[in-house]
Amino acid sequence: MTELSVRVTDLHIEFEVFSDRRAGLRQRLATQEGSGRRLIKAVNGVSFETRRGEAIGVIGSNGSGKSTLLSALAGLIKPTSGEILVSCEPKLLGVGAVLLNGATGIRNIRLGCLALGMSSEELDDRVAEIVEFTGLGEAIDRPLKTYSAGMRARLHFAISTAVQPEILLVDEALSVGDKEFRKKSRAKIESLLANAGTLFLVSHSTKQIERLCTRGLWLENGKLLADGPIADVIAQYGDDEYGADD
Amino acid sequence: MTVHDDPHPESDDQDQDQGLFSLDESVSSRAYVAEIWKRRDFALSLPIEELQSSHKDTLFGNIWHLGNPLLTAGVYYLVFGKLLQVSRGVDNFVVWLMIGVFTYQLTSGTIRGGASSVASRQGLMQSFRFPRAIVPISNMIGELLAFAFQLLVIVLCAFATGVGPSRRWFLLPVILLIHTAFNLGGSFIAARLNDGFRDIQQLIPFVLRLAMYASGVMFPLDRIIGRNDLVDWLVRLNPIASLINFYRWMILGTELNVATSALAVVESLLILWFGFRFFKVAEYRYGQP
């Protein structure tokens, strides 16, 4: 039996959000209810365990808690209750990753890698290889604000995988980028899995998940509806009304 | 933030067997500082990037880092030195005023920027996991870089007005260190408060403006001392006034009150210590949606 990489026990994550209609100041000071705040249960009692070498596809409709779950696994959101244990700090790769828009691609690579904890000596050694992997050519010296969504995705993917994480969390980031880059990123993920890493992949494309993943988690309204071999979970998801169009 | 290289020693036996640990346990101040130190290149490169790109859309680009304080000095020289000819009982009033304005700007800029940085760097914090204290720290470094140019202009103006170098100038690193301790501590406190209540951001400019009048930036403090006991005490307790005076003493040789200066050193270190702890307690809340 291979080693555990992640254990999630009865995870709950709640957010306080401001609803559109806010009460007046007097009412807000008088009662908590009038504050216009509502509690959102993004993740509601989820438990699972994963092992090294597993590739887990997380599916579910918009707002089902997939991205929140990934952020929590990455340690970016504190669980309201429950526990997340990991064997190594997971790295999150998301399309939303914000870097410095005014700075060039290469400077963003440096900054991102430093943020992930790479030392500047190691970075100096590896920056050429990372730039090469992005395949961005001379665009690497252009400011990030001139990049297309696909180009940004390449940059993010290159940064997140540069540290060779044991646990990689990918949030919708592979759906952008051209065919050649998709091939390259798939190769990178496969080498990660071959090195006994663990992959979590959130995607709307069940096709992509089926290609890359061995196991599926189906989240709906913050609850885990199914957990099992990817083909079974996708079949269940497809039968359900929620996943009708995917 | 956990030091992720070694699994948490306190987790129970079963987890230890599996080598699993939790990411959201709070760590000791020492481990936290170690984690910041590990990412020192990140803390440094963030403000340098911003400094380099801040004047990119202008013709003269980076020259503005020096041009801006030079023009400010020029305005002071014209208005106070030539037009109004105020000296307010101070020798070399223009340089005296510049020292006050630029050093106070370092304090107010660091605190104001520290408060807003935790809000403005939300995207970075949602994407990468690092000790959040790096955000106000790198803001502080950015302000220090800008101050370096201002200090250069002050020294140039001091030379231009016949002030020679002195041995006191060797104390600049010590003075800067104490000043930075105060600024960073204040910035940590402002950042945490502003994260809890965004309303604070509206109030900070007023507090800073009030503090400016109580710090002798524009006029010598003896103008307001001796009229009201409470004001006298507040002025004496105000570390910013003493911090500004350090620079004036260093460059212009003005009087240095040993008691209030020593008090300012103690206060600055205390504020840094308290600010750091106050900030760290809410580590997990920064950058949350």
Side-chain angles (χ1 to χ4, degrees), chain A residues 66-148:
Chain A
K66 306 185 297 279
S67 298
T68 308
L69 176 67
L70 247 52
S71 289
L73 286 173
L76 297 166
I77 296 177
K78 196 183 178 74
T80 310
S81 70
E83 192 179 43
I84 299 173
L85 296 174
V86 292
S87 61
C88 183
E89 187 182 326
K91 302 287 184 230
L92 175 67
L93 164 62
V95 278
V98 176
L99 297 163
L100 289 185
N101 261 327
T104 60
I106 186 138
R107 285 177 187 275
N108 272 298
I109 287 180
R110 298 194 66 98
L111 214 58
C113 288
L114 291 173
L116 287 170
M118 203 184 269
S119 72
S120 54
E121 295 83 47
E122 191 189 348
L123 181 59
D124 286 338
D125 290 345
R126 303 211 24 222
V127 73
E129 165 207 337
I130 300 168
V131 170
E132 167 75 35
F133 182 78
T134 63
L136 285 170
E138 355 179 318
I140 205 76
D141 291 319
R142 285 201 334 235
L144 200 63
K145 58 186 165 198
T146 65
Y147 280 30
S148 68

Coordinates of all heavy atoms in Angstrom, one line a residue, chain A residues 66-148:
Chain A
K66 N -15.6 23.4 -5.3 CA -14.3 22.8 -5.8 C -13.1 23.7 -5.6 O -12.1 23.2 -5.0 CB -14.4 22.6 -7.4 CG -15.7 21.8 -7.8 CD -15.6 21.4 -9.3 CE -15.6 22.7 -10.2 NZ -16.9 23.3 -10.4
S67 N -13.2 25.0 -6.0 CA -12.0 25.8 -5.9 C -11.7 26.1 -4.4 O -10.5 26.2 -4.1 CB -12.3 27.1 -6.6 OG -12.5 26.9 -8.0
T68 N -12.8 26.3 -3.6 CA -12.5 26.5 -2.2 C -11.8 25.3 -1.6 O -10.9 25.5 -0.8 CB -13.9 26.7 -1.5 OG1 -14.6 27.7 -2.1 CG2 -13.7 27.1 0.0
L69 N -12.2 24.1 -2.0 CA -11.5 22.9 -1.4 C -10.1 22.9 -1.8 O -9.2 22.7 -1.0 CB -12.2 21.7 -2.0 CG -11.6 20.3 -1.7 CD1 -11.7 20.1 -0.2 CD2 -12.2 19.2 -2.5
L70 N -9.8 23.3 -3.1 CA -8.4 23.4 -3.5 C -7.6 24.4 -2.7 O -6.4 24.2 -2.3 CB -8.3 23.6 -5.0 CG -7.8 22.5 -5.9 CD1 -8.5 21.2 -5.6 CD2 -7.8 22.8 -7.3
S71 N -8.2 25.6 -2.5 CA -7.5 26.7 -1.8 C -7.2 26.2 -0.4 O -6.2 26.5 0.2 CB -8.4 27.9 -1.7 OG -8.4 28.5 -3.0
A72 N -8.2 25.5 0.2 CA -7.9 25.0 1.6 C -6.8 24.0 1.6 O -6.0 23.9 2.5 CB -9.2 24.4 2.1
L73 N -6.8 23.1 0.6 CA -5.7 22.1 0.6 C -4.4 22.8 0.4 O -3.4 22.3 1.0 CB -5.9 21.1 -0.7 CG -7.0 20.1 -0.5 CD1 -7.2 19.4 -1.9 CD2 -6.7 19.1 0.6
A74 N -4.3 23.9 -0.3 CA -3.1 24.6 -0.5 C -2.7 25.4 0.8 O -1.7 26.0 0.8 CB -3.2 25.6 -1.7
G75 N -3.6 25.5 1.8 CA -3.3 26.2 3.0 C -3.6 27.7 2.8 O -3.1 28.5 3.6
L76 N -4.4 28.1 1.8 CA -4.6 29.5 1.6 C -5.9 29.9 2.3 O -6.1 31.1 2.5 CB -4.7 29.8 0.1 CG -3.4 29.5 -0.7 CD1 -3.7 29.5 -2.2 CD2 -2.4 30.6 -0.3
I77 N -6.7 29.0 2.7 CA -8.0 29.3 3.5 C -8.0 28.4 4.7 O -7.6 27.2 4.6 CB -9.2 29.0 2.6 CG1 -9.3 29.9 1.4 CG2 -10.5 29.1 3.5 CD1 -10.5 29.6 0.5
K78 N -8.3 28.9 5.8 CA -8.3 28.2 7.0 C -9.7 27.5 7.2 O -10.7 28.1 7.0 CB -8.1 29.1 8.2 CG -7.7 28.4 9.5 CD -7.6 29.4 10.6 CE -7.3 28.8 11.9 NZ -5.9 28.4 12.0
P79 N -9.7 26.2 7.4 CA -10.9 25.5 7.6 C -11.7 26.0 8.8 O -11.1 26.4 9.8 CB -10.5 24.0 7.9 CG -9.1 23.9 7.4 CD -8.5 25.3 7.6
T80 N -13.0 26.1 8.7 CA -13.9 26.5 9.8 C -13.8 25.5 10.9 O -13.7 25.7 12.0 CB -15.3 26.8 9.3 OG1 -15.2 27.6 8.2 CG2 -16.1 27.5 10.4
S81 N -14.0 24.2 10.4 CA -13.7 23.1 11.3 C -13.3 21.9 10.5 O -13.3 21.9 9.3 CB -15.0 22.8 12.1 OG -16.0 22.2 11.2
G82 N -12.8 20.8 11.1 CA -12.3 19.7 10.4 C -10.8 19.9 10.3 O -10.2 20.8 10.7
E83 N -10.2 18.9 9.6 CA -8.8 18.9 9.5 C -8.3 18.5 8.1 O -8.8 17.6 7.5 CB -8.2 17.9 10.6 CG -6.8 17.9 10.8 CD -6.3 16.9 11.9 OE1 -6.8 15.8 11.8 OE2 -5.5 17.3 12.7
I84 N -7.2 19.1 7.8 CA -6.5 18.7 6.5 C -5.1 18.4 6.9 O -4.4 19.2 7.5 CB -6.5 19.9 5.5 CG1 -7.9 20.3 5.1 CG2 -5.7 19.5 4.3 CD1 -7.9 21.5 4.2
L85 N -4.7 17.1 6.6 CA -3.3 16.8 6.8 C -2.6 16.4 5.5 O -3.3 15.9 4.6 CB -3.2 15.5 7.7 CG -3.7 15.7 9.1 CD1 -3.7 14.4 9.9 CD2 -2.9 16.8 9.9
V86 N -1.4 16.9 5.3 CA -0.7 16.7 4.0 C 0.7 16.1 4.3 O 1.2 16.3 5.4 CB -0.6 18.0 3.2 CG1 -2.0 18.4 2.7 CG2 0.1 19.1 4.0
S87 N 1.2 15.5 3.3 CA 2.6 14.9 3.4 C 3.7 16.0 3.0 O 4.8 15.8 3.3 CB 2.7 13.7 2.6 OG 2.6 14.0 1.2
C88 N 3.2 17.0 2.3 CA 4.1 18.0 1.8 C 3.3 19.2 1.4 O 2.1 19.0 1.1 CB 4.8 17.4 0.5 SG 6.0 18.5 -0.2
E89 N 3.8 20.4 1.4 CA 3.0 21.5 1.1 C 2.6 21.5 -0.3 O 3.4 21.5 -1.2 CB 3.8 22.8 1.4 CG 2.9 24.1 1.3 CD 3.7 25.4 1.5 OE1 4.6 25.4 2.3 OE2 3.3 26.3 0.8
P90 N 1.2 21.5 -0.6 CA 0.7 21.5 -1.9 C 0.9 22.8 -2.6 O 0.9 23.8 -1.9 CB -0.7 21.1 -1.8 CG -0.9 20.7 -0.4 CD 0.1 21.4 0.4
K91 N 1.1 22.8 -3.9 CA 1.2 24.1 -4.7 C -0.1 24.2 -5.5 O -0.5 23.3 -6.2 CB 2.4 24.1 -5.6 CG 3.7 23.9 -4.8 CD 4.1 25.2 -4.0 CE 5.4 25.0 -3.4 NZ 5.4 25.3 -2.0
L92 N -0.7 25.4 -5.5 CA -1.9 25.6 -6.2 C -1.6 26.3 -7.5 O -0.8 27.3 -7.5 CB -2.9 26.5 -5.4 CG -4.1 26.9 -6.1 CD1 -5.0 25.7 -6.4 CD2 -4.9 27.9 -5.2
L93 N -2.1 25.8 -8.6 CA -2.0 26.4 -9.9 C -3.4 26.8 -10.3 O -4.2 26.0 -10.6 CB -1.4 25.4 -10.9 CG -1.4 25.7 -12.3 CD1 -0.7 27.0 -12.7 CD2 -0.8 24.6 -13.1
G94 N -3.6 28.1 -10.4 CA -4.9 28.6 -10.7 C -4.8 29.7 -11.8 O -3.8 30.4 -11.9
V95 N -5.9 29.8 -12.6 CA -5.9 30.9 -13.6 C -5.9 32.2 -13.0 O -5.5 33.2 -13.6 CB -7.0 30.7 -14.6 CG1 -6.7 29.7 -15.7 CG2 -8.3 30.4 -13.9
G96 N -6.4 32.3 -11.8 CA -6.6 33.6 -11.1 C -5.3 34.1 -10.5 O -5.3 35.2 -9.9
A97 N -4.3 33.3 -10.5 CA -3.1 33.8 -9.8 C -2.6 35.1 -10.2 O -2.5 35.4 -11.4 CB -1.9 32.8 -10.0
V98 N -2.5 36.0 -9.3 CA -2.2 37.4 -9.7 C -0.8 37.7 -9.5 O -0.2 37.5 -8.5 CB -3.1 38.4 -8.8 CG1 -2.7 39.8 -9.2 CG2 -4.5 38.2 -9.1
L99 N -0.1 38.2 -10.6 CA 1.2 38.6 -10.5 C 1.3 40.1 -10.8 O 0.2 40.7 -10.8 CB 2.1 37.8 -11.5 CG 2.0 36.3 -11.1 CD1 2.5 35.4 -12.3 CD2 2.9 36.0 -10.0
L100 N 2.4 40.6 -11.1 CA 2.5 42.1 -11.3 C 2.3 42.3 -12.8 O 3.1 41.9 -13.7 CB 3.9 42.6 -10.9 CG 4.2 42.7 -9.4 CD1 5.6 43.3 -9.2 CD2 3.1 43.4 -8.7
N101 N 1.2 43.0 -13.1 CA 0.8 43.2 -14.5 C 1.8 44.1 -15.3 O 1.9 44.0 -16.5 CB -0.6 43.9 -14.5 CG -1.6 42.8 -14.8 OD1 -1.4 41.9 -15.5 ND2 -2.8 43.0 -14.2
G102 N 2.4 45.1 -14.6 CA 3.3 46.0 -15.2 C 4.7 45.4 -15.5 O 5.4 45.9 -16.4
A103 N 5.0 44.3 -14.9 CA 6.3 43.8 -15.0 C 6.4 42.7 -16.1 O 5.3 42.2 -16.5 CB 6.8 43.1 -13.7
T104 N 7.5 42.5 -16.7 CA 7.6 41.6 -17.8 C 7.4 40.1 -17.3 O 7.5 39.8 -16.2 CB 9.1 41.6 -18.4 OG1 10.0 41.3 -17.4 CG2 9.4 43.0 -18.9
G105 N 7.2 39.2 -18.3 CA 7.0 37.8 -18.0 C 8.1 37.2 -17.2 O 7.9 36.5 -16.2
I106 N 9.4 37.5 -17.6 CA 10.5 36.9 -16.9 C 10.6 37.4 -15.5 O 10.9 36.6 -14.6 CB 11.8 37.2 -17.7 CG1 13.0 36.4 -17.1 CG2 12.2 38.6 -17.8 CD1 13.9 35.7 -18.1
R107 N 10.3 38.7 -15.3 CA 10.4 39.2 -13.9 C 9.3 38.6 -13.1 O 9.4 38.3 -11.9 CB 10.2 40.7 -13.9 CG 11.5 41.4 -14.3 CD 11.3 42.9 -14.4 NE 12.4 43.6 -15.0 CZ 13.5 43.9 -14.3 NH1 13.5 43.7 -13.0 NH2 14.5 44.5 -14.9
N108 N 8.1 38.3 -13.7 CA 7.1 37.6 -13.0 C 7.4 36.2 -12.6 O 7.0 35.7 -11.6 CB 5.8 37.6 -13.8 CG 5.0 38.9 -13.5 OD1 4.5 39.1 -12.4 ND2 4.8 39.7 -14.5
I109 N 8.2 35.5 -13.5 CA 8.6 34.2 -13.2 C 9.5 34.2 -12.0 O 9.4 33.4 -11.1 CB 9.4 33.6 -14.4 CG1 8.4 33.2 -15.5 CG2 10.2 32.3 -14.0 CD1 9.1 32.6 -16.8
R110 N 10.4 35.2 -12.0 CA 11.3 35.3 -10.8 C 10.6 35.5 -9.5 O 10.8 34.9 -8.5 CB 12.3 36.5 -11.0 CG 13.2 36.3 -12.2 CD 14.4 37.3 -12.2 NE 15.2 37.0 -11.1 CZ 16.4 36.3 -11.2 NH1 16.8 35.9 -12.3 NH2 17.1 36.1 -10.1
L111 N 9.6 36.5 -9.6 CA 8.8 36.8 -8.5 C 8.0 35.6 -8.0 O 8.0 35.3 -6.8 CB 7.9 38.0 -8.8 CG 7.6 39.0 -7.8 CD1 8.9 39.6 -7.3 CD2 6.7 40.1 -8.3
G112 N 7.4 35.0 -8.9 CA 6.5 33.8 -8.5 C 7.3 32.7 -7.9 O 6.9 32.1 -6.9
C113 N 8.5 32.4 -8.5 CA 9.3 31.3 -7.9 C 9.8 31.7 -6.5 O 9.9 30.9 -5.6 CB 10.5 31.0 -8.9 SG 9.9 30.2 -10.4
L114 N 10.2 33.0 -6.3 CA 10.6 33.4 -5.0 C 9.5 33.3 -4.0 O 9.7 32.9 -2.9 CB 11.2 34.9 -5.1 CG 12.5 35.1 -5.8 CD1 12.8 36.6 -6.0 CD2 13.6 34.4 -5.2
A115 N 8.3 33.7 -4.5 CA 7.1 33.6 -3.6 C 6.9 32.2 -3.1 O 6.4 31.9 -2.0 CB 5.9 34.2 -4.3
L116 N 7.2 31.2 -4.0 CA 7.0 29.8 -3.7 C 8.1 29.3 -2.8 O 8.1 28.1 -2.4 CB 6.9 29.0 -5.0 CG 5.6 29.1 -5.8 CD1 5.7 28.5 -7.1 CD2 4.4 28.6 -5.0
G117 N 9.1 30.1 -2.5 CA 10.1 29.7 -1.6 C 11.4 29.2 -2.2 O 12.3 28.7 -1.6
M118 N 11.6 29.4 -3.5 CA 12.8 29.1 -4.2 C 13.9 30.1 -3.8 O 13.6 31.2 -3.6 CB 12.6 29.1 -5.7 CG 13.6 28.2 -6.5 SD 13.3 28.4 -8.3 CE 12.2 27.1 -8.6
S119 N 15.1 29.6 -3.6 CA 16.2 30.5 -3.3 C 16.6 31.2 -4.6 O 16.5 30.7 -5.7 CB 17.3 29.8 -2.7 OG 18.0 29.0 -3.6
S120 N 17.3 32.4 -4.4 CA 17.6 33.1 -5.6 C 18.8 32.4 -6.4 O 18.9 32.6 -7.6 CB 17.9 34.6 -5.4 OG 18.9 34.7 -4.4
E121 N 19.6 31.7 -5.7 CA 20.7 30.9 -6.4 C 20.0 29.8 -7.3 O 20.4 29.7 -8.5 CB 21.6 30.2 -5.4 CG 22.4 31.2 -4.5 CD 21.7 31.6 -3.3 OE1 21.1 30.8 -2.7 OE2 21.7 32.9 -3.0
E122 N 19.1 29.1 -6.7 CA 18.4 28.0 -7.4 C 17.7 28.6 -8.6 O 17.7 28.1 -9.7 CB 17.5 27.3 -6.5 CG 16.9 26.0 -7.1 CD 15.8 25.4 -6.3 OE1 15.6 25.9 -5.2 OE2 15.1 24.5 -6.8
L123 N 17.1 29.8 -8.4 CA 16.3 30.4 -9.4 C 17.3 30.8 -10.6 O 16.9 30.6 -11.8 CB 15.7 31.7 -8.9 CG 14.8 32.5 -9.8 CD1 13.7 31.7 -10.4 CD2 14.2 33.7 -9.1
D124 N 18.4 31.4 -10.3 CA 19.4 31.8 -11.3 C 19.7 30.6 -12.2 O 19.9 30.7 -13.4 CB 20.7 32.3 -10.7 CG 20.4 33.7 -10.1 OD1 19.4 34.4 -10.6 OD2 21.2 34.2 -9.3
D125 N 19.9 29.4 -11.5 CA 20.2 28.2 -12.3 C 19.1 27.7 -13.2 O 19.4 27.2 -14.3 CB 20.6 27.0 -11.3 CG 21.8 27.3 -10.6 OD1 22.6 28.2 -11.0 OD2 22.1 26.6 -9.5
R126 N 17.9 28.0 -12.7 CA 16.8 27.3 -13.4 C 15.9 28.2 -14.3 O 15.1 27.7 -15.0 CB 15.9 26.6 -12.4 CG 16.7 25.6 -11.6 CD 15.9 24.4 -11.1 NE 14.7 24.2 -11.9 CZ 13.6 23.8 -11.5 NH1 13.4 23.8 -10.2 NH2 12.6 23.6 -12.3
V127 N 16.2 29.5 -14.2 CA 15.3 30.4 -14.9 C 15.2 30.2 -16.4 O 14.1 30.2 -17.0 CB 15.6 31.9 -14.5 CG1 16.8 32.4 -15.2 CG2 14.4 32.8 -14.9
A128 N 16.3 29.8 -17.0 CA 16.4 29.6 -18.5 C 15.5 28.4 -18.8 O 14.7 28.5 -19.8 CB 17.8 29.3 -18.9
E129 N 15.5 27.4 -18.0 CA 14.7 26.2 -18.3 C 13.2 26.5 -18.1 O 12.4 26.0 -18.9 CB 15.2 25.1 -17.3 CG 14.3 24.0 -17.1 CD 14.5 23.4 -15.7 OE1 15.6 23.6 -15.0 OE2 13.5 22.7 -15.2
I130 N 12.9 27.3 -17.1 CA 11.5 27.7 -16.9 C 11.0 28.5 -18.1 O 9.9 28.3 -18.6 CB 11.3 28.4 -15.6 CG1 11.8 27.6 -14.4 CG2 9.9 28.8 -15.4 CD1 11.9 28.3 -13.1
V131 N 11.8 29.5 -18.5 CA 11.4 30.3 -19.7 C 11.2 29.4 -20.9 O 10.2 29.5 -21.6 CB 12.5 31.4 -20.0 CG1 12.2 32.1 -21.3 CG2 12.5 32.4 -18.8
E132 N 12.1 28.5 -21.1 CA 12.0 27.5 -22.2 C 10.7 26.8 -22.2 O 10.0 26.6 -23.2 CB 13.2 26.6 -22.1 CG 13.2 25.4 -23.0 CD 13.5 25.7 -24.5 OE1 14.3 26.6 -24.7 OE2 12.8 25.1 -25.3
F133 N 10.3 26.3 -21.0 CA 9.1 25.5 -20.8 C 7.9 26.3 -21.2 O 6.9 25.8 -21.8 CB 9.0 25.0 -19.4 CG 7.8 24.1 -19.2 CD1 7.8 22.8 -19.7 CD2 6.6 24.6 -18.6 CE1 6.7 22.0 -19.5 CE2 5.5 23.9 -18.5 CZ 5.5 22.6 -19.0
T134 N 7.9 27.6 -20.9 CA 6.7 28.4 -21.2 C 6.5 28.5 -22.7 O 5.3 28.7 -23.2 CB 6.8 29.9 -20.7 OG1 7.9 30.5 -21.4 CG2 7.0 29.9 -19.2
G135 N 7.6 28.4 -23.5 CA 7.5 28.5 -24.9 C 7.0 29.9 -25.4 O 6.4 30.0 -26.5
L136 N 7.2 30.9 -24.6 CA 6.6 32.2 -24.9 C 7.5 33.0 -25.8 O 7.2 34.1 -26.3 CB 6.4 33.0 -23.6 CG 5.1 32.6 -22.8 CD1 5.1 33.2 -21.5 CD2 3.9 32.9 -23.6
G137 N 8.8 32.5 -26.1 CA 9.7 33.2 -27.0 C 10.0 34.6 -26.5 O 10.2 34.8 -25.3
E138 N 10.0 35.6 -27.4 CA 10.4 36.9 -27.0 C 9.4 37.6 -26.2 O 9.6 38.6 -25.5 CB 10.7 37.8 -28.2 CG 10.7 37.2 -29.5 CD 11.0 38.1 -30.7 OE1 10.5 39.3 -30.7 OE2 11.7 37.7 -31.6
A139 N 8.1 37.1 -26.2 CA 7.1 37.7 -25.4 C 7.4 37.7 -23.9 O 6.8 38.5 -23.1 CB 5.8 36.9 -25.6
I140 N 8.4 36.9 -23.5 CA 8.8 36.8 -22.1 C 9.3 38.1 -21.6 O 9.3 38.4 -20.4 CB 9.8 35.6 -21.9 CG1 9.8 35.1 -20.5 CG2 11.2 36.1 -22.3 CD1 8.6 34.2 -20.2
D141 N 9.8 39.0 -22.5 CA 10.3 40.3 -22.1 C 9.3 41.4 -22.3 O 9.6 42.6 -22.1 CB 11.5 40.7 -23.0 CG 12.7 39.8 -22.6 OD1 12.9 39.5 -21.4 OD2 13.5 39.3 -23.5
R142 N 8.0 41.0 -22.5 CA 7.0 42.0 -22.6 C 6.2 42.0 -21.3 O 6.1 41.0 -20.6 CB 6.0 41.7 -23.7 CG 6.6 42.0 -25.1 CD 5.5 42.1 -26.2 NE 4.3 41.4 -25.9 CZ 3.8 40.5 -26.7 NH1 4.4 40.2 -27.9 NH2 2.6 39.9 -26.5
P143 N 5.6 43.2 -20.9 CA 4.8 43.3 -19.7 C 3.7 42.3 -19.7 O 3.1 42.0 -20.8 CB 4.3 44.7 -19.6 CG 5.0 45.5 -20.7 CD 5.6 44.5 -21.6
L144 N 3.3 41.8 -18.5 CA 2.3 40.8 -18.4 C 0.9 41.3 -18.9 O 0.1 40.6 -19.4 CB 2.1 40.4 -16.9 CG 1.5 39.1 -16.6 CD1 2.3 38.0 -17.2 CD2 1.3 38.9 -15.1
K145 N 0.7 42.7 -18.8 CA -0.6 43.2 -19.3 C -0.8 43.0 -20.7 O -2.0 43.1 -21.2 CB -0.8 44.6 -18.8 CG 0.3 45.6 -19.3 CD 0.1 47.0 -18.7 CE 1.3 47.8 -18.9 NZ 1.4 49.0 -18.0
T146 N 0.2 42.7 -21.5 CA 0.0 42.5 -22.9 C -0.3 41.1 -23.3 O -0.4 40.7 -24.4 CB 1.3 43.0 -23.7 OG1 2.4 42.1 -23.4 CG2 1.7 44.4 -23.4
Y147 N -0.3 40.2 -22.3 CA -0.5 38.8 -22.5 C -1.9 38.4 -22.7 O -2.8 39.0 -22.1 CB 0.1 37.9 -21.3 CG 1.6 37.8 -21.3 CD1 2.4 38.7 -21.8 CD2 2.1 36.7 -20.7 CE1 3.8 38.6 -21.7 CE2 3.5 36.5 -20.6 CZ 4.3 37.5 -21.1 OH 5.7 37.3 -21.1
S148 N -2.1 37.4 -23.6 CA -3.5 36.8 -23.7 C -3.7 35.8 -22.6 O -2.7 35.4 -21.8 CB -3.6 36.1 -25.0 OG -2.7 34.9 -25.0

